[in-house]
Amino acid sequence: MAAAPAADTRLDELVCCPVCDALHELGEVPADTRMRCVRCGTVIAVDRPEAIRRIVVLAATALVLMTIVVFYPFLELRTGMFVSRASVFDTVMSFAQGIMAPLSIAVAIFVIVLPVARLGLLIWALGPLSVEREPWPGAAFALRWAETLKPWAMAEIFMVGVAVALVKLADLATLSMGPAFWSFTAIVVITAIKDTQMSKHSIWSALDRARKS
Amino acid sequence: MVGAGSGTEKLKAWTARDAGLVGCRHCTRVSPIGTETCPRCGGGLTSRDPTSLQRVWAWAVVGLLFYIPANLYPMLITSTLGRPQEATIVGGVIELAQYGAWGVAAIVFFASVMIPVGKFIAIGYLAWIVRKPHGHSPKQLLHLFEVVEWIGRWSMIDVFVVAILVALVQFDLLATINPGIAAVCFALSVVFTMLSALSFDSRALWDQIETLADE
């Protein structure tokens, strides 16, 4: 509940809404309950005991699939005797010449580097917690950056781009999707499921508790 | 949905600032006001960011400046049997519609024209209205802001489409596709408008409502 903090209330028990700054005093969050901000309705805490393990498992799966994405063909195009194959890496390099080079770097960062970095940071921050160990050094730093980078990791947007490109090319040539295409689709779905498991307050207090013990 | 937020909904609430505290926007922990880094997550703390609106406007203006050449210059240069053909963003949409691919034409039109233009208007409106007491429901403004923040990244679709086409269509004599300068301008415009939305401090939506209620 929003309440004026009594003098004896410890700061640890207060939670502020990151969206509107309303102050809440949360005790123990009952299992499978969603706590929303009294004022703006933002979800502040979700207690799902399995959440952290689930996040780590999903992130690890996505990270393994990512290796397939980078090294295997993504799309294949045939017209008569001509065959052209593109991996995600080729797509990234497609702007590499001349003044377009910075765009190549940007696409690489949005589609490969940041999604991989986010997965790696989450595993670093929450991996030890999921098996009830002490967190590794820099866990807080890793978790904070994993969240900060979220809007810039655009794997799912890339997939919609692929769909649009497929339609544009549909009557020019015969297209087939390679293994990388299907792994990438899986990564997008897994990442979306993983992000629904995240609640700032719950994850940060779990990390806090693990650091103190 | 049981818990703190069920039932009553109110505009006024005891905020971290009222309590002489500063809340961390990364991890929700509160610290005494004046603390500069959060003891839990190490993130920077500001109770209210006085430069927020300046940055919103600055990034939005730069984004708008890049959006103009993005529409005037070609996005894709297609050469079929040696004859180059240039297509702008809107030209590409019209071409798709002529194929009869209405759904995809709509997606591209939405991502490359509607979203950027709508975003400039929405951001400008929000940044304008929060400066002084306003009689609007902050919840609705928040929804508008959340939509703007969430949808902005989807404009990148068009840049990725260009990248994929360029990588894939390289049958030297038959057909090649090359990126046009508009692709760079458009990508920059998307990045700057995203920075503009990220600079906006959503807490400002409530601050002036409170002053209004106090009067």
Side-chain angles (χ1 to χ4, degrees), chain A residues 60-114:
Chain A
T61 315
L63 203 56
V64 172
L65 289 171
M66 214 55 173
T67 56
I68 301 176
V69 168
V70 178
F71 299 109
Y72 283 83
F74 191 73
L75 291 173
E76 195 183 82
L77 194 64
R78 287 169 191 278
T79 38
M81 52 182 286
F82 293 96
V83 180
S84 118
R85 239 178 238 117
S87 63
V88 172
F89 187 74
D90 295 329
T91 312
V92 161
M93 295 310 289
S94 60
F95 294 119
Q97 294 155 353
I99 59 165
M100 299 294 193
L103 194 53
S104 211
I105 297 166
V107 172
I109 289 173
F110 291 145
V111 176
I112 302 175
V113 178
L114 287 184

Side-chain angles (χ1 to χ4, degrees), chain A residues 1-5 10-24 26 33-42 44 74-79 82-87 90-92 94-95 97 99-103 106-107 110-111 140-141 144 147-148 150-169 171-173 175 200-208 211-212, chain B residues 1-6 8-19 21-32 39-44 47-48 76 80 92-93 96 99 101 104 107-108 139 142-143 146 149 153-175 177-184 187-188 190-192 194-195 198 201-204 206-207 210:
Chain A
M1 291 312 287
R10 291 171 58 236
L11 288 184
D12 289 3
E13 281 150 26
L14 292 173
V15 175
C16 97
C17 171
V19 175
C20 75
D21 212 31
L23 208 53
H24 301 78
L26 290 187
T33 312
R34 240 170 228 259
M35 298 286 213
R36 285 175 182 271
C37 171
V38 280
R39 186 154 67 160
C40 69
T42 305
I44 290 186
F74 191 73
L75 291 173
E76 195 183 82
L77 194 64
R78 287 169 191 278
T79 38
F82 293 96
V83 180
S84 118
R85 239 178 238 117
S87 63
D90 295 329
T91 312
V92 161
S94 60
F95 294 119
Q97 294 155 353
I99 59 165
M100 299 294 193
L103 194 53
V107 172
F110 291 145
V111 176
F141 179 85
R144 181 158 53 86
E147 277 291 282
T148 308
K150 191 175 167 188
W152 302 99
M154 302 189 183
E156 73 275 31
I157 297 167
F158 183 75
M159 285 312 288
V160 177
V162 171
V164 173
L166 290 181
V167 173
K168 283 198 175 194
L169 293 171
D171 43 42
L172 184 73
L175 274 157
K200 278 184 186 174
H201 172 70
S202 312
I203 287 183
W204 279 104
S205 6
L207 190 60
D208 248 7
R211 278 196 290 194
K212 275 174 197 152
Chain B
M1 275 174 231
V2 208
S6 61
T8 52
E9 172 185 319
K10 45 188 172 181
L11 294 180
K12 266 180 79 73
W14 187 263
T15 64
R17 182 169 69 168
D18 299 335
L21 299 167
V22 52
C24 177
R25 309 194 74 195
H26 299 285
C27 72
T28 72
R29 196 199 148 94
V30 290
S31 310
R40 171 150 72 176
C41 71
S47 183
R48 289 298 180 278
L76 272 182
T80 330
V93 173
L96 277 170
Y99 285 154
V104 178
I107 291 176
V108 176
K139 270 206 167 180
L142 177 69
H143 286 314
E146 281 173 341
E149 202 184 24
R153 349 165 25 237
W154 286 92
S155 294
M156 273 296 187
I157 287 177
D158 225 17
V159 176
F160 293 148
V161 171
V162 173
I164 296 157
L165 290 178
V166 171
L168 213 49
V169 185
Q170 295 299 348
F171 305 114
D172 290 330
L173 291 171
L174 214 63
I177 294 185
N178 286 303
I181 192 76
V184 177
L188 285 171
V190 175
V191 168
F192 289 132
M194 280 176 71
L195 286 170
L198 288 172
D201 189 340
S202 56
R203 295 174 295 196
W206 274 270
D207 290 346
E210 290 189 338

